[in-house]
Amino acid sequence: MDDLAYPRVRDALQELLGLDLRAYKPTQMRRRLASFVARHCEGDPDVFLARLRAEPDFLQDVRDMLTINVTEFFRDPVQWATLEQRVLPALLEGRPRLRAWSAGCSHGQEPISLAIALDRLGRLGGASILATDFDHAAVERTAAGGPYRASEVAGLSEDERERYFARERSLGDGVLYRTRPRVRSRITAQSLNLLADPFEGDFDLVICRNVMIYFETEVKSVLLRRFQGALRPGGVLFIGATEALLGADLEGFERMGGNFYRRAEARGQRAA
Ligand SMILES: C[S@@+](CC[C@H](N)C(=O)[O-])C[C@H]1O[C@@H](n2cnc3c(N)ncnc32)[C@H](O)[C@@H]1O
């Protein structure tokens, strides 16, 4: 998309979707938009802008296209093993329940992985997992517990598939897998724009993985401060493998190793 068209498209998306594209690294966004305009609007940005305003379904398709939903169950297994074996037990010690937030949950694989880990620790009951994303279609699927195609659950063991999912038959897609109610009932899915909407607070654990990589450096720093405010003192932030906190971003956090950062205790409070 050329330099003349891009600002107009960006302003229209801000107005109609409330999404500020300036917060995102531009190269990838421009490439995605250009290929979408080429495919759906014969490469003409004016057609794109007209359809954005006239067709609600088109606007929804654009929203879904702008967000990059790649995800999987237990993405980065070593980090998830650390979460299950070290981080969660420490967070849960002396506490009746866990309050967690999967921020940028995509289609739900991340909050479900957390629910499975908690169940294996015998602590799923009483846990509450907020799962949020900007992409409405992804949020709906998360709320419905899927369903997930066989290829999407292929990374789980047979035992995990049996224990945590019910099989459904579908004509086109073969067997589909939907989370069982005891998993689904612990997860609340909501639409939330991390760049604009208010956050809840008092979380023991915030998982925000492979989302901040798309944001400009200053935007990432602001978001990290906001996540810090959303965590209780001693609460833990779990980030993506390539998103290590450096310099000023580390302020107020303690490095725990791996992809984990603990919110520093307020003076006089005990560690989790
Ligand atoms: C690559 S996926 C990561 C999914 C999951 N966290 C993981 O690591 O597997 C990035 C997700 O961030 C979401 N996202 C992008 N911008 C967002 C925003 N401004 N607010 C909320 N979610 C956003 C996208 O919709 C997408 O589902």
Side-chain angles (χ1 to χ4, degrees):
M1 179 160 304
D2 67 34
D3 289 348
L4 280 176
Y6 188 66
R8 285 194 295 137
V9 166
R10 204 180 51 200
D11 290 350
L13 292 172
Q14 168 82 66
E15 180 196 333
L16 297 168
L17 287 179
L19 190 66
D20 185 357
L21 292 197
R22 271 170 295 224
Y24 292 78
K25 293 176 184 156
T27 322
Q28 195 174 30
M29 272 298 169
R30 285 175 84 128
R31 205 181 323 118
R32 288 175 85 78
L33 275 162
S35 89
F36 189 88
V37 173
R39 261 183 293 129
H40 298 281
C41 308
E42 293 167 7
D44 185 341
D46 289 319
V47 174
F48 176 78
L49 288 166
R51 290 190 68 186
L52 268 188
R53 292 190 185 280
E55 300 174 38
D57 286 352
F58 184 78
L59 185 63
Q60 182 61 43
D61 289 347
V62 172
R63 177 197 284 271
D64 295 347
M65 171 275 296
L66 287 172
T67 54
I68 299 132
N69 291 133
V70 182
T71 189
E72 59 190 88
F73 293 100
F74 298 104
R75 186 175 187 178
D76 301 331
V78 173
Q79 297 300 322
W80 279 89
T82 304
L83 178 77
E84 186 171 331
Q85 289 158 20
R86 294 193 11 228
V87 178
L88 286 175
L91 278 174
L92 286 161
E93 204 183 316
R95 288 177 187 269
R97 51 186 281 281
L98 185 95
R99 180 168 152 74
W101 176 21
S102 166
C105 65
S106 187
H107 287 267
Q109 286 88 333
E110 187 173 272
I112 293 168
S113 302
L114 176 62
I116 294 174
L118 283 165
D119 190 59
R120 285 200 282 247
L121 294 168
R123 299 297 299 272
L124 179 58
S128 66
I129 304 171
L130 175 66
T132 66
D133 202 282
F134 179 72
D135 180 341
H136 288 185
V139 170
E140 272 173 31
R141 196 159 174 232
T142 302
Y148 299 101
R149 293 182 298 281
S151 58
E152 292 177 293
V153 295
L156 297 173
S157 67
E158 184 58 36
D159 180 59
E160 286 165 336
R161 284 197 292 268
E162 280 303 312
R163 206 181 277 265
Y164 300 110
F165 296 84
R167 285 165 198 251
E168 292 178 357
R169 292 246 155 237
S170 97
L171 285 178
D173 294 317
V175 179
L176 295 173
Y177 296 78
R178 193 185 294 277
T179 48
R180 295 191 186 279
R182 76 190 180 84
V183 172
R184 203 154 66 239
S185 64
R186 311 292 1 150
I187 299 171
T188 304
Q190 282 172 13
S191 293
L192 183 141
N193 180 355
L194 289 167
L195 303 173
D197 292 332
F199 293 179
E200 293 184 21
D202 205 29
F203 289 104
D204 301 296
L205 175 69
V206 171
I207 307 178
C208 186
R209 314 196 72 224
N210 309 301
V211 181
M212 289 185 280
I213 35 167
Y214 300 112
F215 296 145
E216 293 282 19
T217 314
E218 318 79 67
V219 175
K220 175 181 171 183
S221 298
V222 170
L223 198 51
L224 284 166
R225 290 276 83 78
R226 296 187 69 208
F227 283 143
Q228 196 171 86
L231 284 164
R232 67 162 169 84
V236 171
L237 175 67
F238 180 19
I239 62 175
T242 57
E243 299 167 325
L245 305 198
L246 302 166
D249 285 346
L250 255 177
E251 214 172 289
F253 284 111
E254 293 158 8
R255 259 203 207 97
M256 298 172 72
N259 304 151
F260 300 94
Y261 296 83
R262 186 190 287 116
R263 178 180 159 178
E265 296 284 325
R267 243 181 270 277
Q269 281 179 301
R270 206 176 56 83

